[in-house]
Amino acid sequence: MAVEEARDIDIVIFDKTGTLTRGEFGVVEEIVAENWTNERAMALTSAIEADSEHSIALALRNEADSRNLELPEVTDFKALKGRGVQAVADSRKVYVGGPRLLEMLEIRPTDAMMEFGERNEKSGRSVVYLILEEVAAAAYALADVVRPESKIAVRELQKMGIEVAMLTGDSRDVAESVAKELKIQQYFAEVLPQDKDTKVSDLQSEGLRVAMVGDGVNDAPALTRADVGIAIGSGTDVAVESADVVLVKNDPRDVVRVISLSKASYRKMVENLVWATGYNIIAIPLAAGLLAPFGILLSPAVGALLMSLSTVIVALNAQTLRRVNLGEV
Ligand code: ADP
Ligand code: MG
């Protein structure tokens, strides 16, 4: 059982977007190439993102909405997992995506855009580019916020002697900035969705017992691969299906609670076994007359009394678990 396995986890890997962060982006800065206006670039970007479920797409659509932009028509929408999206506008291929998209298309943005990207990523903002005919036409910096509960969860896990790592499809600079803020030493950046579960199995082959925490967006296979998969983030359907444990509130501190509860349940199980067998070890031989030569013999009545007493003790002992469950960690 997953909760039982959670007790001897060596490392907890958190997905970044939507798990350690809220996954609610806002557009905070933009830059467009020559011959482009902010309006035209944003309208095209939003149109390309129309069918994407990614939180970055939602932010870009909201931004275009709030500017009352009229969107051009696009067709042939396709999601490029972990990289961005592509579509066709005016019979031309258009893309919106992050660093792994630029790498795939072998595109180098202008110096001004590169500077824009580096500066924003260093301060933890995700940067995506609008690409038209092999050229970067615009770049957007999107800010997400780290959940305040994440910091507490990371610290508590580290105090328990459990390693904490972060996994993300986002750029190295963004990952470093978020990891620093949360005091996470180990992080893996620019990991494509299909490689997230490989990271989990790499750690498992080092002999570590791995818990993976994610929101199911691009990390469902990793949740399945982990010894304990924990879904967060109002549970996307995939996350609920792939995970062993679903946290109904979007609170990373509940990861600490699951592990503490599992350790406590195990302790109780051992204690209960001792109580229950203790009765048998001591009372049965007594009842059988083992100490009869020394004048000690358990009458059937006392034996029965002890028997129910041991059940009461086991029940009471299990009850104390409630305090662990409800208490703050
Ligand atoms: P994480 O691993 O942090 O949860 P994802 O794997 O969901 O992130 O996405 C990784 C990166 O892929 C994003 O940071 C972004 O650069 C790019 N990306 C994914 N989907 C989109 C999209 N719909 N529009 C633009 N960029 C996207
Ligand atoms: Mg994610």
Side-chain angles (χ1 to χ4, degrees):
M1 209 187 105
V3 174
E4 217 171 280
E5 277 176 48
R7 94 191 128 84
D8 46 22
I9 285 301
D10 301 303
I11 181 166
V12 177
I13 309 176
F14 285 95
D15 180 55
K16 177 182 77 74
T17 313
T19 304
L20 288 172
T21 70
R22 280 199 215 285
E24 292 162 10
F25 288 93
V27 179
V28 286
E29 209 182 326
E30 66 196 277
I31 182 172
V32 293
E34 270 176 50
N35 307 326
W36 281 83
T37 63
N38 285 351
E39 288 71 25
R40 193 174 141 233
M42 178 57 83
L44 180 56
T45 300
S46 174
I48 300 168
E49 293 281 16
D51 283 339
S52 170
E53 290 165 356
H54 204 277
S55 43
I56 288 179
L58 183 67
L60 291 163
R61 290 201 300 266
N62 286 342
E63 188 61 34
D65 267 359
S66 71
R67 296 184 196 179
N68 289 318
L69 300 176
E70 201 171 307
L71 308 190
E73 198 160 304
V74 303
T75 56
D76 304 282
F77 170 88
K78 197 174 148 212
L80 306 165
K81 279 198 171 279
R83 301 184 197 268
V85 285
Q86 74 170 54
V88 173
D90 253 348
S91 326
R92 290 177 299 187
K93 252 195 188 158
V94 281
Y95 301 85
V96 179
R100 305 266 350 211
L101 176 74
L102 295 183
E103 182 193 88
M104 183 185 95
L105 300 173
E106 294 178 3
I107 285 173
R108 203 192 122 91
T110 60
D111 286 348
M113 254 182 228
M114 292 276 275
E115 185 277 326
F116 172 92
E118 272 172 31
R119 177 168 49 80
N120 277 292
E121 287 181 342
K122 283 213 160 63
S123 50
R125 296 158 173 177
S126 303
V127 178
V128 297
Y129 302 82
L130 166 67
I131 312 285
L132 180 73
E133 305 201 293
E134 321 275 289
V135 177
Y140 299 97
L142 298 112
D144 187 3
V145 280
V146 169
R147 297 179 197 270
E149 302 85 10
S150 299
K151 214 172 266 179
I152 302 165
V154 169
R155 201 184 52 216
E156 290 294 333
L157 289 170
Q158 288 166 340
K159 267 204 273 182
M160 288 162 85
I162 295 169
E163 254 185 276
V164 176
M166 186 181 83
L167 188 58
T168 178
D170 216 333
S171 78
R172 183 149 289 281
D173 280 341
V174 178
E176 187 184 331
S177 157
V178 173
K180 235 189 209 159
E181 186 175 342
L182 291 171
K183 299 200 168 68
I184 296 176
Q185 269 85 39
Q186 222 186 134
Y187 59 88
F188 311 103
E190 296 187 28
V191 184
L192 287 175
Q194 66 264 32
D195 298 331
K196 284 185 175 177
D197 66 322
T198 317
K199 270 278 168 293
V200 173
S201 50
D202 283 352
L203 291 164
Q204 285 171 329
S205 62
E206 286 174 28
L208 298 175
R209 295 183 53 79
V210 182
M212 169 81 204
V213 192
D215 62 353
V217 180
N218 295 342
D219 51 29
L223 289 176
T224 311
R225 174 84 61 188
D227 296 288
V228 179
I230 303 176
I232 197 174
S234 14
T236 53
D237 292 348
V238 255
V240 172
E241 275 166 32
S242 333
D244 301 301
V245 179
V246 177
L247 304 179
V248 285
K249 293 180 290 166
N250 300 338
D251 188 344
R253 286 177 304 177
D254 285 340
V255 174
V256 186
R257 296 201 178 107
V258 167
I259 295 176
S260 312
L261 180 63
S262 150
K263 284 184 193 290
S265 315
Y266 182 73
R267 228 173 25 237
K268 284 294 157 211
M269 207 176 75
V270 173
E271 281 174 18
N272 285 346
L273 265 176
V274 170
W275 279 113
T277 42
Y279 164 80
N280 291 327
I281 289 170
I282 296 167
I284 292 178
L286 282 183
L290 186 71
L291 294 178
F294 308 98
I296 300 174
L297 185 67
L298 213 59
S299 78
V302 176
L305 194 71
L306 268 184
M307 176 74 135
S308 32
L309 197 63
S310 82
T311 312
V312 170
I313 288 169
V314 169
L316 281 179
N317 199 32
Q319 277 291 317
T320 60
L321 254 187
R322 274 168 181 260
R323 283 213 311 266
V324 181
N325 190 7
L326 297 174
E328 289 288 311
V329 285

